[in-house]
């Protein structure tokens, strides 16, 4: 059975051009980039190229890119670096809808010595900016706000927020794991101090990420060890994956227009088709600016997990919230923060597309899903009660 992969916010397929770039560095060129010999040195040169490619995607300089093992490590490194760099400050500002990489770290820091402010969102998923700005104090060590939400695709105005935050002399970090490669990012002309990204969301392998650290930002390493990454992260480099991230960054730049035209058309067609054919359904966050590839659709009075299992029989892969929270029957914290009613939050499915998807696949989802929802609703006591 063919797989219809509509779960690209969970992870993406490695692009063949990315894999081709990586392969020689898993086989032939296995030298250590820190070695003095030419054999290792040539690997170092290729890492330099990958750093420049990654920087170029963000309009940053290569020196501002630190390679990490994943988006989660980038987030932890950024937030911990900021609090270690200003030891007298004990306040962190973030949002109610962050990925667990930031959310759970903040919950942990709250058990230590930090006070955390969680900025709320409204029913559309928009951030309460007045609340955010009023929460900033002399004690605030860092503000960490995601660029785009992984579940709904809602985009936050992080450039505007960064300007206000920086104006008060506070460090600003953004988790841009879902935004990078999907919308243009220009760090040179922004006030963002640190930005996290992850390779496996942009057709590079899993286990590679990067943290942008603006030149001049106070920094303190998370992994202490060798002199790699200019002493900002110890540990021999994950060479092939770094090269993969560089190649994927280059590819993302080439595909940016396609992402915002072709992929967006696929997403809009999917959304329209499903809403037309399935009553009692709506799109979470539809009134806000959203990522072009993502739609989070609530099908009222059904269980998202049951929908996923039935779609799986047709090879359709999607997600019922973020991949990291699936397996739990609690509705997602993002939808709860938006005040989505329980009966709708439970039946929410996230479809996230990529340039590998086709209109035929979208049409197949539009054909297969309505009878699935019908079947499940006919089995649901909530549905019967509400008819
Ligand atoms: N931040 C966001 C917004 C994400 O969507 C994800 C992954 O889904 C992460 C962070 C974590 O990235 P990684 O899986 O590379 O640790």
């Amino acid at each position: 059975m063919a797989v219809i992969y509509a779960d690209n916010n969970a992870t993406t397929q490695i692009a063949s051009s990315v894999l081709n770039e990586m392969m020689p560095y898993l086989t032939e060129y296995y030298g250590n980039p820190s070695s003095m010999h030419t054999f290792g040195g040539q690997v170092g040169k290729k890492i330099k190229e990958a750093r420049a490619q990654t920087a170029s995607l963000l309009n940053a300089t290569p020196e501002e890119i630190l390679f990490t093992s994943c988006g989660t490590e980038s987030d932890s490194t950024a937030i911990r670096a900021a609090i270690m760099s200003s030891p007298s400050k004990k306040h962190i500002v973030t949002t109610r809808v962050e990925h667990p990489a930031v959310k759970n770290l903040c919950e942990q820091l709250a058990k230590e010595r930090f006070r955390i402010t969680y900025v709320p969102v409204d029913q559309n998923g928009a951030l309460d900016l007045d609340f955010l700005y009023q929460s900033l104090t002399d004690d605030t060590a860092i503000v960490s706000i995601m660029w785009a939400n992984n579940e709904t695709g809602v985009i936050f105005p992080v450039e505007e927020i960064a300007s206000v935050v920086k104006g008060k002399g506070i460090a600003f970090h953004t988790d841009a794991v879902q935004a990078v490669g999907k919308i243009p990012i220009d760090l040179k002309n922004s006030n963002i101090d640190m930005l996290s990204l992850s390779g496996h969301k942009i057709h590079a392998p899993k286990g590679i990420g990067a943290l942008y650290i603006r030149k001049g930002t106070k920094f303190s390493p998370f992994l202490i060890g060798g002199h790699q990454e200019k002493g900002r992260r110890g540990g021999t480099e994950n060479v092939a994956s770094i090269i993969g991230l560089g190649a994927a960054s280059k590819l993302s730049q080439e595909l940016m227009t396609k992402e915002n035209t072709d992929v967006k058309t696929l997403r809009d067609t999917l959304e329209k088709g499903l809403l037309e054919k399935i009553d009692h359904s709506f799109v979470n966050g539809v009134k806000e600016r959203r990522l072009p590839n993502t739609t989070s659709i609530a099908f009222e009075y059904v269980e998202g997990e049951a929908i996923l299992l039935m779609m799986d029989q047709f090879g359709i892969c999607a997600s019922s919230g973020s991949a990291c929270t699936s397996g739990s029957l609690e509705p997602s914290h993002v939808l709860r923060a938006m005040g989505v009613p329980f009966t709708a939050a439970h039946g929410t499915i996230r479809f996230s597309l990529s340039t590998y998807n086709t209109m035929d696949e979208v049409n197949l989802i539009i054909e297969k899903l309505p009878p699935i929802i019908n079947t499940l609703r006919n089995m649901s006591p909530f549905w019967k009660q509400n008819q």
Side-chain angles (χ1 to χ4, degrees):
M1 184 173 50
V3 165
I4 296 175
Y5 191 75
D7 205 10
N8 287 276
N9 287 10
T11 197
T12 60
Q13 177 180 346
I14 302 184
S16 54
S17 59
V18 169
L19 190 62
N20 289 342
E21 282 287 318
M22 290 173 65
M23 280 313 272
Y25 295 87
L26 286 166
T27 51
E28 218 179 317
Y29 302 112
Y30 54 82
N32 189 322
S34 300
S35 297
M36 287 298 287
H37 42 71
T38 312
F39 186 62
Q42 65 192 346
V43 176
K45 267 193 198 148
K46 193 72 183 169
I47 288 187
K48 201 171 166 199
E49 184 186 316
R51 202 182 300 280
Q53 288 166 324
T54 309
S56 169
L57 176 63
L58 307 173
N59 196 18
T61 62
E63 298 70 37
E64 293 172 314
I65 301 298
L66 171 72
F67 291 118
T68 64
S69 67
C70 57
T72 303
E73 186 193 318
S74 300
D75 287 342
S76 265
T77 304
I79 294 173
R80 290 216 180 259
I83 58 185
M84 283 174 79
S85 304
S86 42
S88 62
K89 298 186 176 179
K90 296 180 178 57
H91 179 225
I92 297 170
V93 177
T94 186
T95 78
R96 282 197 188 285
V97 295
E98 296 295 313
H99 184 273
V102 169
K103 178 177 174 279
N104 292 351
L105 173 65
C106 288
E107 282 168 14
Q108 173 60 35
L109 291 170
K111 290 185 198 143
E112 298 174 14
R113 61 185 176 95
F114 292 91
R115 183 169 68 83
I116 318 286
T117 298
Y118 295 96
V119 181
V121 295
D122 67 12
Q123 71 276 17
N124 301 316
L127 211 51
D128 185 338
L129 294 181
D130 290 338
F131 184 104
L132 196 174
Y133 298 147
Q134 277 162 25
S135 72
L136 304 175
T137 72
D138 291 345
D139 194 36
T140 310
I142 182 165
V143 175
S144 178
I145 311 269
M146 68 195 328
W147 200 313
N149 189 271
N150 45 302
E151 295 189 31
T152 59
V154 168
I155 296 170
F156 289 153
V158 289
E159 286 151 310
E160 175 192 327
I161 298 169
S163 298
V164 176
V165 170
K166 280 313 290 173
K168 294 188 183 282
I170 301 167
F172 183 81
H173 163 253
T174 182
D175 174 344
V177 164
Q178 294 294 346
V180 167
K182 294 171 190 153
I183 53 172
I185 290 182
D186 178 0
L187 291 178
K188 191 174 169 202
N189 296 304
S190 85
N191 285 297
I192 293 165
D193 292 312
M194 290 182 278
L195 173 146
S196 304
L197 65 88
S198 174
H200 73 106
K201 311 292 184 182
I202 58 166
H203 305 292
K206 294 157 190 66
I208 183 70
L211 177 65
Y212 158 86
I213 309 164
R214 176 177 295 280
K215 193 165 177 264
T217 303
K218 284 194 222 153
F219 186 76
S220 161
F222 184 47
L223 280 191
I224 297 174
H227 61 274
Q228 293 90 351
E229 298 291 310
K230 293 207 164 74
R232 296 180 298 182
R233 181 182 188 268
T236 302
E237 295 85 344
N238 180 0
V239 172
S241 294
I242 288 174
I243 291 164
L245 179 59
S249 299
K250 183 167 170 261
L251 183 69
S252 287
Q253 266 184 308
E254 289 159 15
L255 292 178
M256 186 71 73
T257 309
K258 205 163 175 234
E259 186 79 37
N260 287 279
T261 52
D262 300 6
V263 177
K264 185 174 182 298
T265 302
L266 293 178
R267 191 279 307 271
D268 291 346
T269 308
L270 179 65
E271 217 165 71
K272 190 163 173 281
L274 291 177
L275 293 189
E276 265 170 22
K277 286 194 166 188
I278 303 171
D279 57 7
H280 288 277
S281 60
F282 60 87
V283 175
N284 298 304
V286 72
K287 294 201 175 129
E288 289 302 304
R289 201 178 142 227
R290 287 179 300 151
L291 294 175
N293 78 319
T294 308
T295 180
S296 162
I297 311 186
F299 304 104
E300 289 181 286
Y301 310 113
V302 273
E303 280 295 335
E305 284 68 28
I307 304 173
L308 288 185
L309 288 176
M310 290 184 78
M311 288 201 300
D312 197 43
Q313 293 172 357
F314 298 103
I316 302 169
C317 309
S319 180
S320 63
S322 90
C324 312
T325 57
S326 57
S328 135
L329 286 179
E330 273 289 296
S332 97
H333 69 283
V334 175
L335 301 179
R336 270 182 293 149
M338 290 166 69
V340 177
F342 247 57
T343 45
H346 269 294
T348 289
I349 298 292
R350 176 190 70 186
F351 296 95
S352 47
L353 307 175
S354 82
T355 41
Y356 290 107
N357 289 113
T358 63
M359 197 52 96
D360 282 350
E361 290 179 332
V362 163
N363 286 333
L364 199 118
I365 302 175
I366 296 171
E367 179 197 322
K368 297 294 181 195
L369 197 50
I372 290 176
I373 302 289
N374 231 352
T375 307
L376 291 172
R377 280 183 177 162
N378 286 333
M379 287 157 53
S380 157
F382 296 113
W383 175 248
K384 286 179 189 147
Q385 273 165 28
N386 283 282
Q387 289 315 291

